[in-house]
Amino acid sequence: GAVVSQHPSWVICKSGTSVKIECRSLDFQATTMFWYRQFPKQSLMLMATSNEGSKATYEQGVEKDKFLINHASLTLSTLTVTSAHPEDSSFYICSARIRAMETQYFGPGTRLLVL
Amino acid sequence: AQRVTQPEKLLSVFKGAPVELKCNYSYSGSPELFWYVQYSRQRLQLLLRHISRESIKGFTADLNKGETSFHLKKPFAQEEDSAMYYCALGDSWGKLQFGAGTQVVVTP
């Protein structure tokens, strides 16, 4: 149980285009989903917290107009990288939890390469 | 400021030898500490959390508030323990801050 999926697993796009990444909780309802970014050989950095039905909360230094997050249902959150640039190339990972202070379950990640 | 420090980027041990991964933290409130593991080509998964005080796959970790540490230990390393290990600190909102990670390589 407690499986989180991400789609796509990898994506290559041209600079200036937008890319949408989906995060789904497959067998549970997630009140909260988190989005992380991981650069090569670095740790995960929290980008934003997404609560179902409300606006996402972004960490300091993360541009909310660039990284649009939508959490429309209890099983789906999407991250859209708008007007992507090569420096946005990274590994994006989501996690989901059922209730506050409970375990976060992680997705497999999405590798984004912006040319 | 909230911080998680894992001083070792790489830890190489022989099979059967003890292994200890260091984690120190700074946090003004009551900390919740976790160890996550990422095996090659797999997703991040929870190894253990301090409030459960259980042993998973032979690993244990004790929260030492005096030394602000949450070191991960296993008395006898196995080859399948080779992985990336992250210490993480949870705040009062349940958000996680990860350490830089320690790559463990267990050689036969």
Side-chain angles (χ1 to χ4, degrees):
Chain A
V3 177
V4 176
S5 71
Q6 282 184 242
H7 178 80
S9 55
W10 60 271
V11 57
I12 302 173
C13 69
K14 290 183 179 179
S15 186
T17 60
S18 294
V19 174
K20 181 185 284 188
I21 302 170
E22 292 185 348
C23 176
R24 292 181 184 273
S25 55
L26 298 185
D27 51 1
F28 66 99
Q29 294 187 323
T31 55
T32 305
M33 289 183 172
F34 301 87
W35 286 96
Y36 298 84
R37 182 167 53 185
Q38 185 176 32
F39 290 108
K41 299 189 185 296
Q42 293 188 28
S43 188
L44 288 79
M45 297 293 293
L46 180 65
M47 298 174 66
T49 303
S50 168
N51 291 298
E52 186 266 338
S54 63
K55 287 185 179 180
T57 305
Y58 291 80
E59 294 301 301
Q60 192 171 10
V62 178
E63 301 174 58
K64 55 184 167 186
D65 294 332
K66 180 163 187 64
F67 299 99
L68 300 178
I69 292 173
N70 184 279
H71 193 158
S73 76
L74 285 170
T75 59
L76 173 65
S77 175
T78 59
L79 167 69
T80 301
V81 183
T82 62
S83 187
H85 290 284
E87 56 265 31
D88 299 323
S89 299
S90 188
F91 195 51
Y92 292 88
I93 304 170
C94 74
S95 71
R97 71 178 185 204
I98 301 171
R99 282 177 289 275
M101 308 313 291
E102 290 195 354
T103 300
Q104 291 185 31
Y105 298 96
F106 284 81
T110 296
R111 190 161 302 280
L112 170 64
L113 176 62
V114 184
L115 301 177
Chain B
Q2 189 172 324
R3 183 177 295 176
V4 181
T5 304
Q6 290 181 253
E8 304 128 335
K9 283 190 175 179
L10 174 65
L11 210 54
S12 184
V13 299
F14 286 108
K15 177 182 174 181
V19 60
E20 181 180 32
L21 287 73
K22 290 185 168 44
C23 173
N24 287 89
Y25 68 91
S26 63
Y27 184 57
S28 57
S30 182
E32 187 166 10
L33 277 300
F34 305 81
W35 276 100
Y36 281 84
V37 60
Q38 187 169 31
Y39 300 103
S40 180
R41 299 182 185 279
Q42 294 188 29
R43 69 186 67 198
L44 203 63
Q45 56 185 285
L46 179 67
L47 183 60
L48 48 81
R49 56 194 302 182
H50 88 273
I51 60 171
S52 62
R53 302 182 66 82
E54 56 187 345
S55 172
I56 304 293
K57 298 185 179 182
F59 285 96
T60 59
D62 290 318
L63 177 61
N64 186 322
K65 291 187 178 181
E67 295 183 358
T68 58
S69 68
F70 188 56
H71 302 329
L72 182 69
K73 301 176 186 178
K74 184 169 182 176
F76 307 104
Q78 302 299 314
E79 288 180 68
E80 55 264 30
D81 296 327
S82 295
M84 191 71 170
Y85 292 81
Y86 293 97
C87 181
L89 172 65
D91 67 9
S92 55
W93 298 98
K95 295 192 297 184
L96 295 177
Q97 180 170 351
F98 287 86
T102 298
Q103 181 72 49
V104 172
V105 177
V106 181
T107 52

